[in-house]
Amino acid sequence: MTKLLLRALRGETLHTPPIWMMRQAGRYLPEYRATRAQAGDFLSLCYNPELAAEVTLQPIRRFGFDAAILFADILLVPQALGADLWFVTGEGPRLSTITSAEQVAQLKPVDEIHERLNPIYETVRILSRELPKETALIGFAGAPWTVATYMVAGRGTKDQGPAHAFKDADRVAFSALIDRITDATVEYLSRQIDAGAEVVKLFDSWAGSLKGRDFDDFAVTPAKRIIAALKERHPGVPVIAFPREAGDRYVGFAAATGADCVATDNSVSAEWVAANVQPEICVQGNMAPQHMVTGGPELVAEAQRITRALRNGPHVFNLGHGITPDADPNNVARMIDAVRSA
Ligand code: CP3
């Protein structure tokens, strides 16, 4: 029997959509916090295949999601390319910065990234052995623009100002950075697929700050190159693209990039997505993560409204962004019941 997620990604309309959740392994789960403490810190957890596989499996055991997402981080690729990376508790990631053509040229060649990333492929191998047979395994990487915003600024930023400044000051050098990340991402995702990932997702969390030609050059073109290379090497492995806050650029994104599914955030309504994106391609929608904190009858009503709005075409149920650490795990179980009984 084909896994529910793979059926939806191949374009099948299902009465009950497959369900998974961005950041489903995370700090809202006490068992995640315990395993992270055992590993020591977040990065040590990412690079420990047994423990990373364990935290990937925790939400599957607890909730029975239809898909597991590899536990890792989008910033492991910059680290593999030679950036320093560390996490400051309560603040988030820090990296050494890249702001010149010389620094771009000093990044490691793409064939050297695996040395650092091998433990991630081992996590995927463990998962493909240990997951229940009905659960699909999703690999992932950050999309080049989003990864570049962290590499240039050395941290998360509200408006991605430093990356925009580099792009506007030296478009050639910035494009070289995007190209290096693009090439690394192809190799990284390809190894994840070799190790057993059945689907891959590209997270472009900051796509919404790219406008006009910049959106074409730095969100569409890199995604198109990555997807074309993966399709050539691994025909039949579906790709989910998440150009977060793309707004009306969600329309046509699949046709422009070759993605098999477009994931949407909760700044657009499920009804808008049904009318404007789902006619072209499978969509992943889009409940506001805040409902996982607030719960109540609104949570049930919203989960059922989204499920029904997207029922007439291929749909993967998800949140519009990652679940937050203050979420109540009981609300996750309520959401799943609401979707499956809608
Ligand atoms: O979705 C999943 O559960 C899979 C694992 C995953 C993580 N990060 C684990 C993580 C995935 C797919 C990501 C993607 C990621 N990482 C993105 C793109 C998606 C998004 O959220 O916009 C980005 C921008 C990052 C970079 C990153 N990693 C930031 C900004 C932070 C700090 C913010 C935070 O939530 O603390 C992280 C840390 C991180 N990545 C955590 C987890 C579970 C929390 C770390 C901890 O345990 O303290």
Side-chain angles (χ1 to χ4, degrees), residues 20-28 32-33 36 41-43 45-46 55-56 59 68-76 85 87-93 95 138-143 146-147 149-150 155-157 201-206 242 244 318 320-325:
W20 69 282
M21 215 172 56
M22 287 185 266
R23 292 276 174 99
Q24 63 190 20
R27 286 163 293 182
Y28 75 106
Y32 169 85
R33 296 196 299 270
R36 191 182 67 165
D41 57 42
F42 172 66
L43 279 177
L45 178 54
C46 291
V55 295
T56 306
I69 183 161
L70 163 69
F71 189 83
D73 197 80
I74 67 165
L75 300 177
L76 305 186
L85 171 69
F87 280 79
V88 179
T89 311
E91 290 188 34
L95 301 88
I138 305 172
F140 75 91
T146 288
V147 172
T149 65
Y150 289 93
R155 58 192 299 161
T157 50
K201 179 169 174 184
L202 271 177
F203 284 85
D204 210 349
S205 304
W206 301 118
F242 182 36
R244 191 170 72 90
N318 206 308
H321 201 192
I323 187 168
T324 51

Side-chain angles (χ1 to χ4, degrees), residues 29 52 54 57 71 127 139 143 147 211 234 321:
L29 290 178
E54 166 58 23
L57 290 164
F71 189 83
L127 287 167
V147 172
K211 303 295 171 203
H234 311 277
H321 201 192

Side-chain angles (χ1 to χ4, degrees), residues 20-21 32 35 52 65 109 125 142 153 158 160 167 169 208-209 220 255 268 283 311-312 325 328 330 334:
W20 69 282
M21 215 172 56
Y32 169 85
T35 308
F65 284 113
R125 279 190 287 272
K158 258 202 158 53
Q160 298 74 59
K167 159 177 70 64
S209 80
V220 174
V268 289
V283 294
R311 179 164 274 165
N312 298 317
D328 177 352
N330 294 316
R334 288 184 194 111

